[in-house]
Amino acid sequence: MKEEEVNCCQIQEWYPKFKSVSIKTLIHQLPESFVEYLLDDSKPFLLPASVLNEDALPNRIRNPDDEEDFQVSEGSDDEAEESSPPPSFPELELKVKESVESLGGAVFPKLNWSAPKDSAWISTSGTLRCTNFSEIALLFRGSDSLVHDLCHAYDSCDDKLMSRPHNFFLALRKWYPSLKPDMEFRCFVQNKKLVGVSQREVTTFYPVLLEKKNDIILLIQAFFNNHVRGKFELENYTFDVYVTNDERVKIVDFNPWGGFTLSLLFTWDELEHVRSEGGDVEFRIVEDRCGVRPGLKTAVPYDYLDTSQGSGWDQFLRNADQELRNQDRSPEAGA
């Protein structure tokens, strides 16, 4: 995998070319001060002060008696140890407010590549649905998954020169409460040819997919030929799509081939053989309850869990092993 391949899959790079067949999205470049806020673990967990007086947890119950325990009396020795005031990002907050309103009042946020799925539990709705900047900041600040974008996006690259992109972007995507997880699929493209399609949510058996399997693959193949092939510049990549009730196909995301991208119901080795055999597109779904894959709740992106040959973890472990061998052979090793 090359840095160029990873860069092409950033939402600010691909969305302008595919906006007509994707989920409506507004994108803002993040100030470096906000990026530093997300990475700063040296201070207590503080949400930014809101210039609009918006609260990320509006329904929480406040107990004045408890708050009195934390008040510092004037002239006490603890005054000097009071924590610094929370950060504030007024320009970004105002831009977010305008965008949220233009997108219908609710959005789900993501950075260049990843969404804070691992911190959805902390929101009032238990989802990624956000209505203001404070809710977005809560999800971002509480997410370990976003560390991938912030620090490790290029770890699988053979030509790695950068530790992070030059700029980070906040993508605000229109929230659709009617979206169903059973209608999202990951598509695998090798040498600009669609070679495989997998059910995206592999932790559940959806009987409806058995009924619609043939129709769905025809829709996805036609969509790829008409809207993706020849427009996306890479030869090898994956892309996620959503099939609507009226049989329209929408692009959700692009990801690099291999690396930390999850191969779902395939292995990367299987996908290589599918390509070399030159057959029809293979479409895999969970066909019964016995085929359900276990869901793992972790503090890393779900795509990190793939350890098959050719995956990001496989490459990482190979690189680590080679580094240890190099150290053992170096003159300093026997000193």
Side-chain angles (χ1 to χ4, degrees):
M1 184 188 300
K2 306 298 183 185
E3 283 190 356
E4 177 191 8
E5 297 175 61
V6 176
N7 287 333
C8 286
C9 295
Q10 296 178 98
I11 191 168
Q12 76 275 8
E13 296 294 330
W14 65 259
Y15 179 75
K17 304 172 190 175
F18 296 95
K19 62 187 302 183
S20 64
V21 289
S22 186
I23 298 171
K24 189 173 182 182
T25 303
L26 295 174
I27 301 172
H28 301 283
Q29 182 173 330
L30 289 173
E32 191 62 27
S33 56
F34 186 73
V35 176
E36 293 171 356
Y37 161 73
L38 295 179
L39 287 170
D40 188 3
D41 288 331
S42 64
K43 299 175 183 177
F45 187 114
L46 292 176
L47 289 175
S50 172
V51 296
L52 300 172
N53 293 320
E54 293 175 332
D55 194 343
L57 300 168
N59 297 322
R60 60 181 165 175
I61 300 174
R62 302 177 186 273
N63 189 332
D65 294 333
D66 291 340
E67 292 179 357
E68 287 180 3
D69 295 339
F70 296 96
Q71 293 180 353
V72 180
S73 59
E74 186 176 353
S76 72
D77 294 336
D78 291 334
E79 276 188 319
E81 299 179 7
E82 283 186 283
S83 60
S84 58
S88 181
F89 308 96
E91 292 184 13
L92 179 60
E93 183 177 3
L94 292 172
K95 289 178 182 178
V96 167
K97 178 179 175 61
E98 182 179 347
S99 294
V100 169
E101 290 176 351
S102 69
L103 291 170
V107 300
F108 67 94
K110 66 178 294 181
L111 280 182
N112 301 30
W113 295 277
S114 305
K117 294 180 180 179
D118 62 320
S119 58
W121 63 272
I122 204 172
S123 72
T124 53
S125 64
T127 68
L128 296 183
R129 180 181 183 273
C130 295
T131 60
N132 58 54
F133 175 70
S134 295
E135 292 176 347
I136 294 169
L138 176 66
L139 289 178
F140 276 29
R141 191 67 173 83
S143 173
D144 289 322
S145 293
L146 295 191
V147 174
H148 167 261
D149 288 23
L150 296 169
C151 304
H152 302 292
Y154 302 103
D155 283 4
S156 294
C157 296
D158 301 327
D159 60 345
K160 179 181 176 182
L161 294 175
M162 300 189 297
S163 60
R164 50 157 283 179
H166 296 299
N167 296 299
F168 287 101
F169 292 83
L170 169 64
L172 302 175
R173 319 203 72 184
K174 183 176 177 64
W175 176 263
Y176 293 93
S178 60
L179 291 185
K180 299 178 293 184
D182 53 317
M183 286 294 120
E184 188 174 353
F185 305 92
R186 174 156 292 176
C187 309
F188 300 88
V189 179
Q190 180 79 312
N191 291 331
K192 297 191 175 182
K193 178 183 177 182
L194 183 64
V195 297
V197 177
S198 171
Q199 175 179 329
R200 184 69 179 85
E201 175 51 72
V202 297
T203 63
T204 307
F205 166 59
Y206 298 105
V208 67
L209 293 183
L210 290 174
E211 304 169 15
K212 297 184 175 181
K213 185 176 180 180
N214 292 334
D215 294 335
I216 290 171
I217 190 60
L218 291 175
L219 286 172
I220 292 175
Q221 285 180 296
F223 178 82
F224 171 71
N225 291 327
N226 295 331
H227 298 286
V228 182
R229 186 203 296 268
K231 286 190 72 174
F232 195 67
E233 54 267 48
L234 298 181
E235 289 192 356
N236 309 315
Y237 58 93
T238 76
F239 66 101
D240 295 346
V241 296
Y242 183 82
V243 179
T244 66
N245 289 333
D246 56 359
E247 298 188 338
R248 289 177 298 136
V249 180
K250 295 288 186 179
I251 291 178
V252 177
D253 207 359
F254 283 91
N255 288 290
W257 178 277
F260 289 120
T261 303
L262 195 67
S263 55
L264 299 174
L265 294 175
F266 294 94
T267 67
W268 287 113
D269 187 55
E270 285 177 325
L271 288 165
E272 290 285 350
H273 282 90
V274 168
R275 176 187 63 83
S276 62
E277 291 168 2
D280 294 333
V281 178
E282 185 164 352
F283 184 24
R284 293 188 180 181
I285 62 173
V286 177
E287 300 200 358
D288 54 50
R289 287 183 171 81
C290 295
V292 169
R293 300 290 178 92
L296 300 178
K297 300 295 184 181
T298 69
V300 297
Y302 185 52
D303 285 355
Y304 270 39
L305 303 178
D306 183 14
T307 57
S308 63
Q309 186 173 0
S311 68
W313 276 120
D314 176 61
Q315 186 62 46
F316 173 79
L317 293 172
R318 288 173 184 267
N319 291 342
D321 183 60
Q322 185 61 48
E323 181 63 27
L324 286 173
R325 293 186 183 190
N326 292 341
Q327 290 177 8
D328 290 341
R329 288 197 297 265
S330 66
E332 292 81 358

